[in-house]
């Protein structure tokens, strides 16, 4: 059983990721804060509790692999990698700037810890399937983790990959669907309904675990459960809130692809600071 | 009697040979393994063969993932589907991250024949050669195809290798033939015109050159098999030596081999040029020979363009 102390630390990291996401995107005057905030607790749990990764040795032979299929939410990943020590925190100031390794969407080899280029939605899961197959061929125990968006599940390729992962019995593959229910043009239910999403994954032969994607205890529990799943891949359906953690950003589509204004940033950071205070 | 062979048969043979030498070689197909000949590898090394089903986008994505963890990946389907259906995946999941995926596309061009236009890729060279740093190759015959496959396997980075369906005359009789990336081989030298051909049109160009002799036109014939990187030096050299160029390809006239040659000439040494290619139309059902004749991808088609270009000098 995970200790309260550990949970506390993860939540603290999640808050830190949120702060940095807001700082980075506001400084860049560009980027996707909404979907970064919705997956912040998942990313924090993965990088500060779960994933076997070593910032001092990013190429560690026995590492777990993480692929961010919803590549637009990369500010949260950059923040986690920097905080973890994969690269200096100052790099975060260069998000989306000319010549920066912190591209608008992740680029393989541009930074230590970025395992794959993503951005064109729907492609990440296929790549994870290929990586899972490679590990099986080599009889390696490393595991593949990834995060998809719920809107992303509108891409047909996701289901091609879902079919293949199940066909090839990839029990070394665990993905989260960050189900924040909003996409650029509106609520996912209105734009193109993907529900019942959990049923769809189950029908494709996946182990489905549904959780509150902001409850660290549930995130850890789902990850622990996924380790015992044999002969099939696992999807963790994480119910989330877009813009989570900042009151005026929550459930707001406008923050999908636009950062806070300077004035909003001040308010947002005060709120996050209060969250931090509550943790102390 | 000229010896004939289909490039895809030699592709299958090359894969089996590679599979024996290198256990990191894996092969993927999208339910066309018997046609693309990846079935030969599947039979020899079933544990390293993955049938992805009828899902070309996923085929390319999975290929990228395997390559991401160090595998040498060959991914095959018909040229139409693997270039067209999966272009975004080729661009963003393979070429942009520079992954070691070799896309071996078969059944390119109108010589697919009876299946008709939906299966006849006439645009794939155009949409593949535009991708930064993707090597784009078109073998002139089965022997060159065999060499290219081995070359690609030994060379890090993404490749697109385009093969036609049918058995064609062997251009390279010598099994010692060595393929070199970015090099074009001059097969015949003549001073009046340079015919720069690719794929199945190389053999046709050689036959046209023999016919042209009767008209006292001495033709150079170049096998342009490395479309990208392209051999600027040889193209400029033959243009200088002959003063005019005819390109010949089993592809659309737009943005294909002829256009690649024209780009080189326009920037380096402009000379009159004519193109033998499909004139921006779709193919249709028919026998391969009938289709080639209909679209003037034959000896007469080349002769006509040569006469025209020589007159323009």
């Amino acid at each position: 059983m995970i200790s309260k102390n550990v949970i506390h630390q993860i939540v603290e990291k999640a808050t830190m990721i949120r702060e940095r996401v807001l700082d980075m995107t506001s400084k860049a005057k560009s980027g996707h804060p909404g979907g970064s905030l919705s997956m912040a607790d998942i990313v924090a749990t993965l990088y500060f509790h779960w994933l076997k990764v070593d910032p001092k040795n990013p190429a560690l032979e026995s590492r777990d692999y993480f692929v961010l299929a919803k590549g637009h939410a990369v500010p949260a990943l950059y923040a986690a990698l920097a905080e973890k020590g994969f690269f200096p925190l100052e790099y975060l100031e260069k998000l989306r700037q000319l010549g920066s390794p912190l591209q608008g969407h992740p680029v393989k080899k541009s930074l230590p810890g970025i395992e794959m280029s993503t951005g064109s939605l729907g492609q990440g899961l296929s790549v994870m399937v290929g990586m899972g197959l490679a590990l099986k061929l080599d009889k390696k125990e490393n595991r593949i983790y990834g995060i998809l968006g719920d809107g992303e599940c509108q891409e047909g390729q996701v289901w091609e990959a879902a079919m293949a992962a199940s066909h090839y019995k990839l029990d070394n593959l665990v993905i989260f669907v960050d189900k924040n229910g909003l996409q650029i043009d509106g609520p996912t239910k209105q734009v193109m309904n993907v529900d019942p999403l959990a049923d769809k994954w189950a029908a494709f032969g996946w182990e489905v675990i549904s959780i509150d994607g902001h409850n660290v205890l549930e995130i850890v529990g789902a990850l622990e459960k996924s380790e015992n799943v044999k002969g099939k891949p696992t999807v963790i359906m994480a119910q989330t809130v877009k813009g989570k953690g900042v009151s005026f950003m929550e459930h707001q589509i406008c923050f999908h692809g636009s950062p806070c204004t300077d004035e909003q940033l001040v308010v947002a950071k005060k709120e996050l600071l209060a969250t931090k205070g509550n943790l102390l | 009697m000229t010896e004939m062979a289909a490039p895809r048969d030699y592709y299958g043979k090359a894969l089996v040979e590679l599979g024996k030498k290198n256990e990191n070689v894996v092969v993927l197909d999208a339910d066309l393994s018997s046609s693309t000949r990846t079935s030969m590898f599947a039979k020899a090394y079933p544990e390293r063969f993955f049938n992805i089903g009828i899902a070309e986008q996923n085929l390319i994505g999975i290929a990228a993932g395997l390559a991401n963890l160090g595998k040498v990946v060959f991914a095959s389907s018909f040229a139409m589907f693997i270039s067209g259906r999966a272009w975004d995946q080729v661009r963003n999941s393979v070429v942009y991250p520079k992954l070691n995926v070799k896309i071996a596309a078969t059944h390119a061009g109108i010589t697919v024949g009876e299946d008709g236009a939906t299966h006849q890729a006439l645009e794939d060279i155009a949409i593949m050669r535009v991708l930064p740093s993707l090597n784009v190759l078109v073998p002139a015959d089965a022997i060159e195809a065999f060499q290219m496959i081995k070359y690609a396997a030994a060379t890090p980075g993404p490749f697109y290798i385009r093969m036609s369906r049918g058995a064609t005359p062997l251009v390279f009789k010598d099994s010692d033939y060595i393929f070199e990336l970015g090099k074009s081989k001059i097969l015949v030298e003549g001073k009046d015109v340079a015919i720069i051909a690719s794929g199945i049109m190389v053999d046709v160009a050689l036959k046209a050159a023999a016919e042209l002799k009767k008209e006292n036109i001495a033709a150079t014939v170049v096998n342009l098999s490395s479309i990208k990187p392209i051999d600027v030096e040889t193209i400029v050299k033959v243009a200088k030596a002959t003063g005019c160029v005819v390109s010949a390809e089993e592809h659309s006239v737009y943005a294909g081999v002829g256009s690649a040659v024209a780009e080189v000439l326009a920037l380096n040494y402009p000379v009159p040029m004519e193109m033998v290619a499909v004139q921006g139309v779709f193919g249709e059902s028919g026998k391969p020979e009938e289709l080639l004749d209909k679209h003037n991808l034959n000896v007469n088609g080349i002769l006509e363009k040569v006469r025209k270009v020589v007159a323009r000098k």
Side-chain angles (χ1 to χ4, degrees):
Chain A
M1 185 68 188
I2 186 168
S3 73
K4 270 190 176 170
N5 193 30
V6 172
I7 291 178
H8 189 94
Q9 282 170 9
I10 296 170
V11 173
E12 209 172 56
K13 294 293 185 188
T15 307
M16 178 280 307
I17 288 173
R18 290 192 164 95
E19 278 184 305
R20 296 207 192 284
V21 164
L22 297 182
D23 279 337
M24 291 162 82
T25 52
S26 291
K27 181 156 187 5
K29 293 193 170 20
S30 157
H32 298 79
S36 299
L37 297 186
S38 66
M39 67 170 203
D41 301 295
I42 297 166
V43 170
T45 307
L46 285 170
Y47 275 90
F48 298 97
H49 177 64
W50 192 260
L51 292 181
K52 189 175 179 185
V53 289
D54 181 2
K56 289 189 190 68
N57 182 13
L60 179 74
E61 182 82 21
S62 61
R63 73 189 185 276
D64 290 327
Y65 294 91
F66 177 75
V67 176
L68 183 62
K70 47 172 287 190
H72 56 278
V74 72
L77 176 60
Y78 289 151
L81 289 173
E83 182 70 14
K84 186 86 180 165
F86 278 89
F87 50 83
L89 283 164
E90 303 89 82
Y91 279 28
L92 300 180
E93 292 170 21
K94 300 282 185 192
L95 175 73
R96 290 181 164 244
Q97 290 181 30
L98 189 66
S100 166
L102 281 78
Q103 291 288 296
H105 294 80
V107 180
K108 181 181 160 65
K109 286 183 179 167
S110 71
L111 285 166
I114 300 286
E115 301 283 3
M116 182 59 189
S117 309
T118 52
S120 182
L121 291 174
Q123 298 191 20
L125 187 57
S126 296
V127 174
M128 291 182 236
V129 171
M131 292 164 74
L133 286 174
L135 291 173
K136 290 269 180 193
L137 266 181
D138 293 342
K139 301 191 168 46
K140 287 185 175 170
E141 298 296 312
N142 320 41
R143 293 169 74 77
I144 316 277
Y145 295 89
I147 303 179
L148 277 74
D150 52 351
E152 181 176 13
C153 294
Q154 291 161 353
E155 288 280 4
Q157 190 186 351
V158 167
W159 302 102
E160 295 182 2
M163 205 186 305
S166 159
H167 178 83
Y168 284 110
K169 303 182 170 50
L170 296 181
D171 49 18
N172 53 3
L173 172 61
V174 178
I175 62 165
F176 288 85
V177 173
D178 177 10
K179 200 165 186 303
N180 62 36
L182 297 177
Q183 56 190 116
I184 301 178
D185 272 354
T188 302
K189 276 191 193 315
Q190 282 174 24
V191 175
M192 181 51 64
N193 190 16
V194 292
D195 287 324
L197 200 48
D199 292 352
K200 287 190 174 79
W201 287 98
F204 274 77
W206 287 57
E207 178 75 16
V208 181
I209 304 171
S210 294
I211 61 162
D212 170 356
H214 301 305
N215 183 324
V216 170
L217 197 60
E218 289 190 24
I219 298 170
V220 173
L223 286 165
E224 283 172 348
K225 201 172 164 195
S226 75
E227 285 205 307
N228 299 317
V229 175
K230 299 293 170 213
K232 57 178 171 177
T234 297
V235 57
I236 301 169
M237 295 295 308
Q239 191 65 50
T240 58
V241 172
K242 201 150 187 164
K244 175 73 180 179
V246 177
S247 59
F248 63 85
M249 294 179 79
E250 291 188 358
H251 304 290
Q252 298 304 310
I253 290 166
C254 59
F255 291 106
H256 171 91
S258 315
C260 294
T261 61
D262 291 346
E263 294 75 21
Q264 287 170 331
L265 181 64
V266 174
V267 180
K269 289 190 73 175
K270 264 187 196 158
E271 279 193 25
L272 288 173
L273 203 64
T275 308
K276 255 187 179 171
N278 292 338
L279 292 171
L280 293 173
Chain B
M1 177 82 185
T2 320
E3 208 182 329
M4 308 273 282
R8 57 191 169 124
D9 286 326
Y10 280 52
Y11 167 49
K13 277 187 207 174
L15 285 180
V16 173
E17 195 176 294
L18 288 166
K20 192 176 177 186
K21 280 186 197 157
N22 183 353
E23 63 175 25
N24 260 335
V25 170
V26 299
V27 177
L28 276 60
D29 207 300
D31 194 41
L32 289 167
S33 64
S34 57
S35 299
T36 64
R37 303 297 193 252
T38 59
S39 54
M40 293 162 77
F41 183 93
K43 200 175 163 198
Y45 306 102
E47 71 291 350
R48 282 187 274 149
F49 174 79
F50 300 100
N51 204 327
I52 306 305
I54 308 165
E56 295 76 15
Q57 302 176 10
N58 195 35
L59 171 85
I60 294 297
I62 292 178
L66 280 154
N68 200 27
L69 294 198
K71 300 295 171 193
V72 179
V73 188
F74 282 85
S76 280
S77 180
F78 287 2
M80 178 62 243
F81 312 124
I82 206 164
S83 73
R85 185 63 155 268
W87 188 84
D88 182 0
Q89 287 74 11
V90 171
R91 181 187 188 275
N92 285 313
S93 286
V94 172
V95 181
Y96 184 45
K98 301 188 181 71
L99 289 169
N100 205 13
V101 175
K102 324 300 177 184
I103 302 163
T106 67
H107 295 65
I110 48 173
T111 50
V112 164
E114 292 81 348
D115 276 347
T118 55
H119 286 50
Q120 297 166 347
L122 293 170
E123 310 83 2
D124 56 322
I125 293 174
I127 61 176
M128 288 292 126
R129 82 183 181 92
V130 76
L131 293 175
S133 82
L134 175 64
N135 299 303
V136 179
L137 311 180
V138 183
D141 69 357
I143 287 172
E144 192 175 33
F146 189 81
Q147 291 288 333
M148 280 176 174
I149 296 302
K150 294 212 294 188
Y151 185 96
T155 309
F159 280 77
Y160 180 78
I161 302 168
R162 179 202 211 231
M163 292 170 272
S164 298
R165 176 191 175 199
T168 52
L170 293 183
V171 173
F172 299 105
K173 313 282 187 248
D174 188 357
S175 56
D176 288 339
Y177 168 78
I178 302 290
F179 168 76
E180 283 181 275
L181 185 67
K183 297 285 179 201
S184 285
K185 204 171 161 69
I186 298 174
L187 303 175
V188 177
E189 259 183 290
K191 63 178 177 23
D192 300 318
V193 62
I195 307 169
I196 301 178
S198 81
I200 62 163
M201 295 307 289
V202 175
D203 178 66
V204 181
L206 289 169
K207 289 180 174 126
E211 284 296 314
L212 286 166
K213 264 189 194 165
K214 296 174 194 164
E215 299 177 26
N216 282 325
I217 297 174
T220 287
V221 176
V222 176
N223 170 31
L224 185 61
S225 55
S226 179
I227 312 300
K228 190 160 161 259
I230 198 163
D231 186 350
V232 173
E233 194 185 327
T234 299
I235 292 170
V236 171
K237 187 174 121 184
V238 298
K240 280 182 179 168
T242 63
C244 63
V245 168
V246 171
S247 62
E249 66 195 297
E250 188 195 3
H251 183 274
S252 168
V253 72
Y254 297 116
V257 177
S259 295
V261 171
E263 287 160 15
V264 171
L265 293 176
L267 293 172
N268 295 279
Y269 193 80
V271 293
M273 182 178 171
E274 294 290 336
M275 299 180 187
V276 174
V278 175
Q279 297 301 308
V281 294
F282 288 111
E284 65 189 289
S285 291
K287 291 189 177 67
E289 287 303 322
E290 292 172 340
L291 285 158
L292 290 170
D293 285 341
K294 175 166 179 174
H295 293 275
N296 295 318
L297 301 187
N298 52 20
V299 172
N300 279 334
I302 293 179
L303 294 182
E304 192 185 307
K305 295 291 184 186
V306 166
R307 288 178 199 126
K308 196 171 163 190
V309 83
V310 168
R312 286 172 58 198
K313 278 214 276 189

